Amino acid sequence: MTGTAPPEGSPVEDWATDFDHTTSAWAADATDIWDDLRERCPVAHSDRFGGTWLPTRHEDISAIAHDTEHFTSQGVIVAPFKPVGLAPVGYAPPITSDPPFHEFARRILLPAFSPKAVAPLEESTRAFCASLMDQVVAAGPLVDASVDYAEHIPVRVIAQMLGVPESDGDRFRGFIHRILEKPGQVAPPEDEGTLINYLEHIIEEHREDPRDDLIGYLLDYRVDGEPLAPEHIDGTIALTLLAGIDTTWSAIGASLWHLARHPDDRRRLIEEPELMTFAVEEFLRFYAPVTMARMVSSEVEIGGCPMAVDDWVLLPFPAANRDPEAFEAADEFVIDRERNRHAAFGLGIHRCLGSNLARMELRVAIEEWLARVPDFELADPDAVRWSSGQVRGPRELPVRIVGG
Amino acid sequence: MQIEFDRTKCVGHNRCYLLAPELFDVDDEGYAVVRIDGPVPASLEAKAQLAADNCPEYAITVVD
């Protein structure tokens, strides 16, 4: 079948039988595509990428996310090349790991990302957001809420946690574009090098000059007196470096896109700050950025569709979050929604490791933006550009600051 | 009202800890821990319900 599939990135005629999540059409209309598919064909299929399934109901997405017997995480980014034979460790543990190794790799990291470990990072995150807002206000009234604000925040937080220079942010974003947005379709520029080169460089720096940060912690970690395998360390650093950046940037950008278009929601957040706890979760439900993926490890049927070994399966958590079977008024943004079991951070054993960090960054970023710019609007709705691939958010978001 | 918490379902979303810190703590790895023994105080029943209603893994139930 794969020999006859249209090339990855080429235009799609029917999303039920030939979808491609790396196209600009998907970037522009993913939400409508999921809603349409959920009604007429809850599990879509495409021959692209060597055969890929796309469930759109909460029930099916949850079932797959909880099923580590028929699905493997050794491939989590759908690409033309399938990582096979890497289970149970995978190339970026623990996100690419399966049981039982998964639990070992995850427990190494959990303490660093627990709510109590993350709380002390709020103060520096808030100060950084405030300094970005100084620049935004000074540059106004026309600014880009993604390029001038959202994209910088997670880079700063992750760089601080890992102990790498924040000035490498452009390189991180280059890796993300090639690996996550256009997997297998874009070559690295010669002067930038690959992610592997970069990891070797920063690990070497930490070995020469040991530091009390997450990379230092991983290098010092011992199991029965033995350090972690070099490929485990490399993969985990790559994961923590990249996984928290475009995801959180997308959530912040999408939330600001929403607020630019909904003055009533802006006003309520300013007048009723206690709503923020619920509002943050509703932003995460309604604009969940992350679609994960699995590969089929043994034959299984989902939603009446027979899935074969090594097929790709996308897990569009944002589509699950808008399933009317799972949420009341699923297609409405309800800023004070009190019952909200959203799946923005995934379901099952691979729940986003950085969820507490992401949640803190999103809340602080919105608070600091509204504190300085309570009134703003889209400068040109047609100029907003959303990302393609498995992480969805606005990459260009021109807004006009009103008043001030 | 009583809280029933299934630790085997908890994957550490921490929604209960955020919404009802009087009733739920988290351990060093971020998994939920119920803070009370016995019935939920009347003043915290709404919060217990909120925690149950927001757990993505259905690990928390409240029973009368």
Side-chain angles (χ1 to χ4, degrees):
Chain A
M1 292 292 282
T2 53
T4 60
E8 285 80 23
S10 66
V12 168
E13 284 191 16
D14 185 346
W15 295 96
T17 56
D18 178 40
F19 68 83
D20 187 333
H21 61 294
T22 66
T23 57
S24 54
W26 172 283
D29 293 321
T31 304
D32 292 339
I33 293 168
W34 296 321
D35 287 347
D36 170 51
L37 291 174
R38 199 185 299 108
E39 277 186 20
R40 68 186 174 101
C41 165
V43 185
H45 184 268
S46 175
D47 286 337
R48 301 188 192 206
F49 303 97
T52 309
W53 298 95
L54 176 70
T56 52
R57 294 188 301 202
H58 186 285
E59 179 187 348
D60 294 331
I61 293 165
S62 174
I64 297 166
H66 286 102
D67 182 353
T68 55
E69 187 186 332
H70 297 96
F71 298 92
T72 169
S73 285
Q74 65 182 316
V76 290
I77 306 295
V78 171
F81 307 102
K82 288 181 182 170
V84 289
L86 299 176
V89 180
Y91 55 84
I95 201 171
T96 58
S97 308
D98 293 326
F101 182 83
H102 167 265
E103 187 181 351
F104 165 72
R106 186 172 171 91
R107 291 186 74 172
I108 294 170
L109 295 168
L110 281 172
F113 291 91
S114 76
K116 290 175 186 177
V118 162
L121 299 171
E122 177 169 337
E123 191 181 339
S124 62
T125 304
R126 191 175 294 284
F128 181 64
C129 289
S131 72
L132 282 174
M133 285 310 296
D134 288 343
Q135 297 169 35
V136 163
V137 169
L142 283 177
V143 294
D144 191 309
S146 178
V147 175
D148 298 327
Y149 188 63
E151 73 172 41
H152 300 284
I153 297 163
V155 170
R156 164 74 172 238
V157 173
I158 290 292
Q160 187 185 347
M161 268 189 96
L162 282 175
V164 299
E166 190 204 329
S167 54
D168 289 347
D170 284 343
R171 293 181 79 179
F172 305 166
R173 285 185 288 264
F175 299 142
I176 286 164
H177 180 68
R178 291 200 310 274
I179 298 169
L180 303 179
E181 291 189 21
K182 297 284 180 191
Q185 299 172 36
V186 186
E190 272 184 31
D191 58 345
E192 189 181 276
T194 63
L195 175 60
I196 304 292
N197 301 145
Y198 182 72
L199 292 176
E200 284 171 357
H201 164 70
I202 57 175
I203 289 170
E204 192 51 39
E205 275 195 348
H206 275 76
R207 286 198 195 281
E208 285 171 9
D209 175 18
R211 283 163 253 179
D212 181 22
D213 51 36
L214 193 58
I215 293 178
Y217 169 77
L218 289 168
L219 293 175
D220 288 346
Y221 199 87
R222 294 290 180 274
V223 182
D224 298 330
E226 294 296 319
L228 298 171
E231 54 275 18
H232 182 165
I233 294 175
D234 291 359
T236 293
I237 295 172
L239 169 65
T240 47
L241 181 66
L242 298 186
I245 292 182
D246 59 335
T247 49
T248 314
W249 156 21
S250 295
I252 296 169
S255 302
L256 291 172
W257 180 74
H258 176 93
L259 290 172
R261 297 160 58 246
H262 295 89
D264 288 351
D265 286 340
R266 289 202 301 273
R267 206 167 304 127
R268 284 201 69 189
L269 283 184
I270 292 165
E271 289 172 4
E272 304 167 67
E274 68 280 6
L275 281 186
M276 191 57 93
T277 304
F278 298 104
V280 163
E281 304 303 329
E282 182 67 345
F283 282 124
L284 287 166
R285 182 187 74 88
F286 210 67
Y287 300 107
V290 181
T291 291
M292 282 306 301
R294 298 285 187 269
M295 288 168 62
V296 178
S297 56
S298 62
E299 274 184 32
V300 64
E301 194 174 294
I302 296 285
C305 295
M307 300 184 175
V309 172
D310 286 348
D311 282 354
W312 285 112
V313 185
L314 282 166
L315 287 182
F317 293 114
N321 281 348
R322 292 188 184 225
D323 184 346
E325 292 289 316
F327 296 90
E328 286 172 35
D331 59 350
E332 288 174 34
F333 183 93
V334 181
I335 201 159
D336 54 359
R337 185 183 289 271
E338 287 202 358
R339 292 167 56 93
N340 191 350
R341 302 179 197 264
H342 71 76
F345 294 120
L347 294 167
I349 62 169
H350 289 278
R351 185 268 305 167
C352 170
L353 180 73
S355 60
N356 298 299
L357 197 57
R359 185 179 275 130
M360 180 275 285
E361 291 178 53
L362 177 58
R363 176 172 49 79
V364 169
I366 296 170
E367 286 170 353
E368 292 303 309
W369 178 285
L370 287 178
R372 298 292 297 279
V373 178
D375 223 359
F376 63 109
E377 60 193 12
L378 294 183
D380 173 6
D382 294 334
V384 177
R385 186 180 63 81
W386 293 75
S387 56
S388 64
Q390 288 177 228
V391 179
R392 176 172 175 75
R395 293 293 174 266
E396 288 165 34
L397 182 56
V399 299
R400 180 182 299 106
I401 299 171
V402 179
Chain B
M1 179 187 273
Q2 300 268 352
I3 293 172
E4 289 180 358
F5 169 59
D6 184 344
R7 171 64 180 79
T8 64
K9 289 184 176 175
C10 178
V11 297
H13 279 277
N14 303 135
R15 299 287 302 283
C16 54
Y17 174 63
L18 277 176
L19 291 165
E22 303 89 342
L23 298 170
F24 295 91
D25 198 356
V26 285
D27 67 18
D28 289 344
E29 294 182 330
Y31 293 101
V33 179
V34 182
R35 291 185 63 174
I36 57 161
D37 270 331
V40 177
S43 61
L44 293 173
E45 285 188 354
K47 285 204 166 188
Q49 187 68 51
L50 205 54
D53 286 347
N54 284 280
C55 177
E57 299 289 351
Y58 294 83
I60 301 166
T61 42
V62 288
V63 287
D64 286 322

